[in-house]
Structures are given as C-alpha cells and as structure tokens.
Amino acid sequence: MHILFLTDNFPPEGNAPASRTYEHTREWVKAGHKVTVITCAPNFPEGKVFEGYKNSWFSKSKVEGINVWRVKTYITANEGFIKRILDFISFMLSSFIFGLFSKKVDVVIGTSPQFFTVISAWALAKLKSVPFVFELRDIWPASITAVGAMKKNKIIQILEKVEMFLYKQADLIVSVTHSFKKELIERGVDGNKIDVVLNGVDLCKYHPTDKSKSIFAKKYKLEDKFVAGYIGTHGLAHGLSTIVEAAELLKEHDEIRFVFAGGGAERDKVKKLVIKKKLENVILIDRQSKEMMSQLWAVCDISLVPLINKPLFKTVIPSKIFECMGMGIPSVISVPEGEATKIVRDTDSGLVVESESASEIAKAVLDLHSNKEQYVSLKFNCSENSSLFDRRLLADKMLKIVERVVKRVG
C-alpha cells in the first residue's frame, strides 16, 4: 500500500503533530508499506527555517524509509491570524500541486489542527480516485475563538462550513480523542466512519532517566533542586502567566525551581513577566531539537500541563502527559475537567487541579515535593501505565483502520 500523508509539521520540528506523524509513518514503513509525506521546511513555532534547511520549491529526502517531500510555503511565526492563514493556504496550494506527482497512491491522509492541509488531501484523493482520510487533531476553527485570537464572525462561519464539508467528504476520520468523536456525531457526522487513535509515546526514546545524566541539570544547576517543568509550545491556549504566578507564590522555597522550555507566541510574554517579577526560581530554556527532548524531560521532577479554562479544552488531551508517563514524571494537570483529567486520574499518574489557578498549582507542586511517598507512588504509576500508550501499538491500530477503509472504498 502506498500512503500519501500531508502535514505541515514534521521532524526536526518537535511538536505533537510532527512527532505523531513521524512515529506512525515510521512504523508503517517497517510494516512493509510505502509512505510519502508532503510537508514544508521546518520552522515551527518561531517561523524561522531550521539550520540546514531551505524554503525551496521542492526537495526530496528519506527519513527511516519515509519519502519526505518538502515544498515551498509562506513562512511566519505561530501568531497572528492573517499571517497564519496565508501560511496555511500556501501549504494547501503547494502540497496539492506537488502531490499530483505522487504515483500509484492507495490512500491520502491529511492531518489538522487547521484544515487547509486537509482540503489539499481531499482534492488529491478525489483526483486520484482513492480514499480520503481526515486525521482530526483539533476542533478547528473553534479553537481560534476559544483562545481569543479572533471573535466569531462571517469568516469563522465560512470556515465552519468548510469544516463540516470535509467531515462529510471523508471516507474515514481518525480522531485523537473520544471527545472529538462524540462532538462530531452530535453535529451530524456519521459515527461509523470515525475511529479514535489516541496520542502516545515512543517508549524507545522516552523512559525514566536519572536527572544527573541530563546536560541541562548541570548547565542550569538543577541537580539538587525539585523541578516543575513546562516543556513545549508556549501558546495562547496554555495560560502560562498562571504558571509564572505559581512560581511567584513559591519564590521563597529555594529548593524548588520552575522551568519553561520551548518557543511560541507567548514566549516573550513569559520572559517579560519573569523579569518584571524578578523571579530567580524560574529558568528559561530555548526550544530544543527533537533529539534533545528526553534530556530536557529528564531534568524535571514533575510536569506542568496547563490549558485555559474554556469549554472547548474539555475535549483536548495534551500529548505531553504520555511523554511524561514514559519518562516516569508525574503531571500536575490544570485543565478543564474532561478526557485528559480522566486519563490522569485513571492511571493515577499525577494531580488534577483547577484550570488557571496559580494557588492550586503551587500547592500541588509543594505537596509533591513534601510528600515523598505520594510522589514515588505517582512515578511508579507513570511507568506502569506508559505501555498503554506505546506509539508502536497505536501506529499499528491506525494502520489497520486505514487498511480496512482502503479495502472497503478502493
């Protein structure tokens, strides 16, 4: 089977969509299938092309057997609605044009969050007369209004109509959460064509690692500190000013450090807040390459997983909770009650606190630092339950679902 996969994020970018696509397609190649990924020059989230890459019209490479085609796009930082839309549209057009040159394709998969990529996948599937698979990573454009990037208006209404068109056109929808599936069914989408494949963790790369072996522990003098880390994209949805407030509440506890590592639209805001409040207990680390992520996680004793208190985020599962489980790192998750909080409670792999509550986050960090017995128990539960979210098993699950739709439709 030849799988054509369209995504605007792919390694060396280290965000959740890039990791999921790479780790799934890698396993599909191992299973004997041909995979072609069409993506763009790596630039997320700063909107700067990574060293060693060019934003050229077209380039080919092979990554662990995956055929990677990179196409030219309008590149901008992950902020600002108009510029991001131009970025999305440019990838839609270039991925479609160069996708026409892919031969003997059996299925086309397009992945969100934004669905301009999926429009290209739908059009290519139609022209090639093969099944069209929509991998649903986010309810978009609802997430735009949820984070306050844009108010509901005619543009959003048009985007919502396109969204529903794509759901109905898809031969298969692969949702990353059960909540998304439930919402789509309530909106009239046929539930029989929706399957759920959760995010997961590559247990070959993410496993318990002694802090002393992390280069970041030595560099930032964290060997003997209790570290609460926020690792990942600094986006509007995360409410990171609340984490800064929690750090301020614990600034007298010299044995505790807060670490922010990553980049994104809110990175400068976090940096300015830390400077303004003169917080010496906060360490800021720049975005690291994907290869360094396990080293970065290793410096953390607990992971901070925040989302702002909006109803939409009840349906979201931050993928970092799975990486934390793999690393044996308990989470302090401060998101609206929903699927993510249920996973953390069911696996007993962390503490659930109220979304956007600095005092509750600070208390949870202090409790886990003070209560060694509880902390050790949570660490054990993380390691015990991580196998439930092994990316290899999840990749195989999605492959079987795709194979079924190809057999049925093709």
Side-chain angles (χ1 to χ4, degrees), residues 31 58 64 69 94 153 329 342 357 359 394 404 409:
F58 183 68
E64 294 197 48
W69 294 7
S94 56
N153 55 27
I329 302 170
K342 186 177 187 303
S357 173
S359 59
L394 296 167
R404 283 202 304 268
V409 178

Side-chain angles (χ1 to χ4, degrees), residues 8-10 12-18 40-50 74-80 83-84 87-88 230-236 238 240 261-268 285-290 293:
D8 57 355
N9 292 115
F10 197 74
E13 293 172 331
N15 61 347
C40 54
N43 67 87
F44 183 88
E46 289 92 354
K48 296 177 182 177
V49 176
F50 286 23
Y74 171 77
I75 289 177
T76 185
N78 187 35
E79 56 189 49
K83 286 186 176 181
R84 290 297 288 157
D87 184 343
F88 300 155
Y230 176 81
I231 312 295
T233 303
H234 294 38
L236 293 168
H238 302 111
L240 296 181
E266 294 291 279
R267 175 70 174 181
D268 286 344
I285 301 176
D286 289 337
R287 176 186 56 78
Q288 300 297 311
S289 68
K290 185 173 175 59
M293 291 308 293

Side-chain angles (χ1 to χ4, degrees), residues 46-251:
E46 289 92 354
K48 296 177 182 177
V49 176
F50 286 23
E51 188 176 347
Y53 292 85
K54 290 182 179 178
N55 187 25
S56 54
W57 279 110
F58 183 68
S59 67
K60 286 184 179 182
S61 64
K62 259 201 173 171
V63 179
E64 294 197 48
I66 307 162
N67 299 301
V68 181
W69 294 7
R70 296 189 184 273
V71 298
K72 191 177 183 68
T73 60
Y74 171 77
I75 289 177
T76 185
N78 187 35
E79 56 189 49
F81 179 77
I82 299 299
K83 286 186 176 181
R84 290 297 288 157
I85 289 292
L86 289 174
D87 184 343
F88 300 155
I89 290 174
S90 70
F91 180 68
M92 176 185 73
L93 295 173
S94 56
S95 64
F96 173 75
I97 291 167
F98 287 100
L100 292 171
F101 295 95
S102 57
K103 297 179 180 178
K104 296 181 180 178
V105 170
D106 295 291
V107 61
V108 183
I109 305 174
T111 191
S112 59
Q114 52 82 15
F115 55 63
F116 288 94
T117 298
V118 186
I119 294 172
S120 176
W122 163 75
L124 286 168
K126 281 292 181 185
L127 284 173
K128 294 175 182 294
S129 299
V130 298
F132 158 51
V133 178
F134 187 153
E135 184 181 57
L136 179 65
R137 295 191 45 81
D138 200 356
I139 300 294
W140 200 89
S143 56
I144 298 174
T145 55
V147 299
M150 194 172 183
K151 292 181 179 179
K152 185 133 184 175
N153 55 27
K154 287 185 178 179
I155 294 175
I156 295 294
Q157 288 172 354
I158 292 169
L159 292 176
E160 286 173 343
K161 287 180 180 178
V162 176
E163 174 196 15
M164 288 305 299
F165 170 80
L166 291 168
Y167 292 151
K168 290 178 178 179
Q169 286 289 307
D171 295 295
L172 168 69
I173 298 171
V174 178
S175 170
V176 301
T177 76
H178 294 279
S179 302
F180 290 167
K181 177 177 180 177
K182 182 172 180 282
E183 179 168 336
L184 262 57
I185 292 171
E186 288 172 353
R187 292 169 67 184
V189 180
D190 181 4
N192 292 318
K193 69 175 184 180
I194 308 173
D195 281 282
V196 178
V197 180
L198 297 178
N199 275 319
V201 55
D202 184 349
L203 293 175
C204 296
K205 293 181 179 178
Y206 294 91
H207 46 76
T209 304
D210 192 281
K211 185 188 292 190
S212 62
K213 294 181 180 179
S214 169
I215 60 171
F216 297 102
K218 185 175 182 180
K219 182 176 180 179
Y220 294 100
K221 299 178 181 178
L222 297 169
E223 298 102 316
D224 60 345
K225 302 296 182 183
F226 188 79
V227 177
Y230 176 81
I231 312 295
T233 303
H234 294 38
L236 293 168
H238 302 111
L240 296 181
S241 58
T242 303
I243 303 297
V244 177
E245 289 174 32
E248 186 177 21
L249 291 172
L250 297 180
K251 64 182 180 181

Side-chain angles (χ1 to χ4, degrees), residues 266 317 322 406:
E266 294 291 279
I317 306 175
F322 305 120
V406 168

Side-chain angles (χ1 to χ4, degrees), residues 215-321:
I215 60 171
F216 297 102
K218 185 175 182 180
K219 182 176 180 179
Y220 294 100
K221 299 178 181 178
L222 297 169
E223 298 102 316
D224 60 345
K225 302 296 182 183
F226 188 79
V227 177
Y230 176 81
I231 312 295
T233 303
H234 294 38
L236 293 168
H238 302 111
L240 296 181
S241 58
T242 303
I243 303 297
V244 177
E245 289 174 32
E248 186 177 21
L249 291 172
L250 297 180
K251 64 182 180 181
E252 302 303 324
H253 294 265
D254 186 56
E255 71 280 13
I256 297 174
R257 290 289 183 273
F258 284 75
V259 166
F260 287 88
E266 294 291 279
R267 175 70 174 181
D268 286 344
K269 182 180 177 181
V270 169
K271 191 180 293 187
K272 287 174 183 176
L273 270 175
V274 170
I275 293 170
K276 180 182 177 182
K277 294 176 181 291
K278 300 178 181 178
L279 298 179
E280 296 182 1
N281 63 334
V282 175
I283 306 295
L284 300 173
I285 301 176
D286 289 337
R287 176 186 56 78
Q288 300 297 311
S289 68
K290 185 173 175 59
E291 291 71 28
M292 296 302 294
M293 291 308 293
S294 60
Q295 284 272 323
L296 198 51
W297 277 121
V299 82
C300 300
D301 294 287
I302 57 176
S303 170
L304 301 173
V305 186
L307 285 171
I308 60 176
N309 194 16
K310 297 284 185 179
L312 176 71
F313 296 122
K314 293 179 180 180
T315 65
V316 172
I317 306 175
S319 61
K320 60 171 60 69
I321 66 174

